[in-house]
Amino acid sequence: MLDSNYSNVSCTTTPDIQLAAPTNLVATMISSTQINLNWTSNSSSQESGFAIERGPQVSGTFTSLTGVAKNVTSHSDITVAANTQYCYRVKAKA
């Protein structure tokens, strides 16, 4: 008895995961040394975590502050100085 020939080859490409951006980011001043951040995740738990960036003004240059784990939607920034404006943004990471 002989084996059959192989079937045809069928291939497909999986799509890139396009994560939805977080929304409703709120920065709340707790003290002169702490600002709490809270946001809404819109990624249906597909993210691997969130990247948090901080800048001196809304349209300025942002730098990486920290990252948090999947499904975490808050962070306390305790690296702030008194009488200084801080702006934040958050993005979901694949």
Side-chain angles (χ1 to χ4, degrees), residues 32-86:
S32 62
T33 59
Q34 181 177 341
I35 296 173
N36 285 354
L37 306 174
N38 292 282
W39 61 90
T40 301
S41 171
N42 297 303
S43 299
S44 302
S45 297
Q46 294 177 329
E47 78 279 350
S48 65
F50 294 94
I52 302 169
E53 296 183 344
R54 183 174 74 185
Q57 55 192 2
V58 174
S59 61
T61 301
F62 285 78
T63 57
S64 177
L65 177 62
T66 191
V68 295
K70 176 179 184 165
N71 299 324
V72 173
T73 57
S74 64
H75 175 72
S76 294
D77 183 1
I78 56 171
T79 63
V80 297
N83 198 33
T84 305
Q85 175 177 287
Y86 294 97

Side-chain angles (χ1 to χ4, degrees), residues 12-17:
T12 188
T13 301
T14 58
D16 284 341
I17 296 174

Side-chain angles (χ1 to χ4, degrees), residues 13-33:
T13 301
T14 58
D16 284 341
I17 296 174
Q18 182 63 43
L19 297 175
T23 54
N24 303 318
L25 174 62
V26 176
T28 304
M29 187 268 311
I30 302 301
S31 70
S32 62
T33 59

